[in-house]
Amino acid sequence: MTRNLRRPKGVEATCRVACDGPHTELARSLEELVASEDGSEFRGVTASDHEGLVRQLNGIRDVVLLAPLDGPEVDGTTVGGVDLLGAKRMLDALSEISTLEQLIVVSSAMVYGAREDNPEALDESAPLRADHGVSFAADKATLEHLVRSWHGRNSAVRLVILRPTLTVSADLSAVNWLERSLWFTAGTRVGDAAPPRQFLHRIDLARAIEHCRRSRLSGVFNVAPDGALSAAEQLELVGRVAEVRMSEPAAEQMAKVRWRFNLTST
């Protein structure tokens, strides 16, 4: 799929941007932003074989790698799981694209792991300690490893790795997902913990991707809103006035039941 919303007919594109997972809401949001730049062409990469990928990526300058996988939504970005095999095929194909200048990879803040000794605020220098019991987090960490290994052989390309926090939007499907998700804990406290939460709008994630692309950045960047919502603020937003306290064993059992009966995706 190749579309450009503003480039007049007969005008050659000066900048070509490709993204896998064109069916995802994140890719669609990014396409709208790319289209606002005169002379830009957005290509949705759909091929799954090497020859097809090389053909679709021919002449591309910038690539956004989402590595989406059909399955339950996990972090709100609408990419589902992590297609590591697809990512490897994409990277292999990119090695043959001489016009490639920048690769932007969407990872996740979950690669840091939910560890008791983590500081409340983590910067990009924090070690990656993804919980290997959480496949999405472990796969995102593996994705970063694959990309860094590829970049070691293609160092002339600018590499950006983005680690967004939990992503949300006002779309009905996204709201319904968040309400079912175990991320939605307003009104429930496990033990004495009352951690603040950060929610990143999907449009802001797309804007962060486009900012990195247009500014020709390289490096690793956390993507999160300024500040966070306290437990009390979360309660106020959902219209509740009291919390339900739950022990950790009870919370774990509830999570297993909700997962088993497909009542949540996380």
Side-chain angles (χ1 to χ4, degrees):
M1 177 181 70
T2 301
R3 289 186 286 175
N4 181 275
L5 304 183
R6 299 190 180 186
R7 179 164 51 89
K9 290 183 178 180
V11 176
E12 182 67 20
T14 58
C15 173
R16 294 181 173 88
V17 185
C19 180
D20 57 345
H23 63 283
T24 67
E25 293 300 326
L26 179 56
R28 290 170 181 161
S29 297
L30 180 62
E31 179 179 8
E32 294 287 339
L33 294 175
V34 170
S36 69
E37 181 181 350
D38 292 338
S40 293
E41 175 189 304
F42 182 93
R43 293 186 192 176
V45 179
T46 57
S48 58
D49 63 290
H50 182 78
E51 290 75 13
L53 285 169
V54 171
R55 185 166 53 252
Q56 288 189 340
L57 293 168
N58 182 48
I60 285 293
R61 188 187 79 171
D62 305 325
V63 169
V64 178
L65 179 60
L66 304 180
L69 183 67
D70 291 338
E73 182 60 22
V74 176
D75 68 344
T77 56
T78 70
V79 303
V82 186
D83 185 0
L84 293 175
L85 290 177
K88 188 177 183 305
R89 286 193 293 266
M90 175 77 93
L91 293 171
D92 289 343
L94 287 176
S95 296
E96 299 185 20
I97 306 302
S98 61
T99 55
L100 180 65
E101 294 183 10
Q102 186 177 45
L103 173 62
I104 300 174
V105 181
V106 178
S107 181
S108 169
M110 291 175 67
V111 296
Y112 294 119
R115 306 293 179 174
E116 291 183 1
D117 58 346
N118 278 346
E120 185 171 301
L122 290 164
D123 63 25
E124 292 85 351
S125 66
L128 304 190
R129 300 188 294 172
D131 184 348
H132 290 281
V134 181
S135 59
F136 179 81
D139 288 347
K140 283 291 189 181
T142 300
L143 175 64
E144 289 197 21
H145 175 76
L146 288 174
V147 169
R148 289 181 186 278
S149 178
W150 175 89
H151 190 242
R153 303 185 300 274
N154 300 271
S155 57
V157 176
R158 291 185 179 91
L159 174 63
V160 173
I161 296 177
L162 299 180
R163 296 171 181 162
T165 187
L166 180 64
T167 305
V168 297
S169 76
D171 301 278
L172 181 60
S173 60
V175 172
N176 290 340
W177 165 78
L178 183 61
E179 289 181 342
R180 295 196 310 272
S181 169
L182 292 179
W183 294 112
F184 187 75
T185 57
T188 303
R189 180 184 293 189
V190 179
D192 295 325
R197 298 287 186 191
Q198 290 183 305
F199 300 94
L200 176 70
H201 198 285
R202 188 174 64 231
I203 296 298
D204 289 330
L205 175 54
R207 286 173 178 157
I209 295 171
E210 185 64 354
H211 171 73
C212 290
R213 190 185 72 80
R214 294 193 186 190
S215 301
R216 315 313 291 162
L217 300 181
S218 60
V220 179
F221 303 96
N222 292 337
V223 188
D226 292 331
L229 294 175
S230 66
E233 289 171 323
Q234 293 175 66
L235 280 172
E236 183 179 355
L237 284 172
V238 297
R240 299 180 186 178
V241 296
E243 293 179 318
V244 176
R245 290 182 179 268
M246 182 177 294
S247 67
E248 291 186 13
E252 183 177 349
Q253 289 303 313
M254 181 185 75
K256 290 179 179 178
V257 169
R258 294 184 71 185
W259 175 267
R260 179 179 180 183
F261 290 99
N262 200 30
L263 297 176
T264 182
S265 60
T266 54

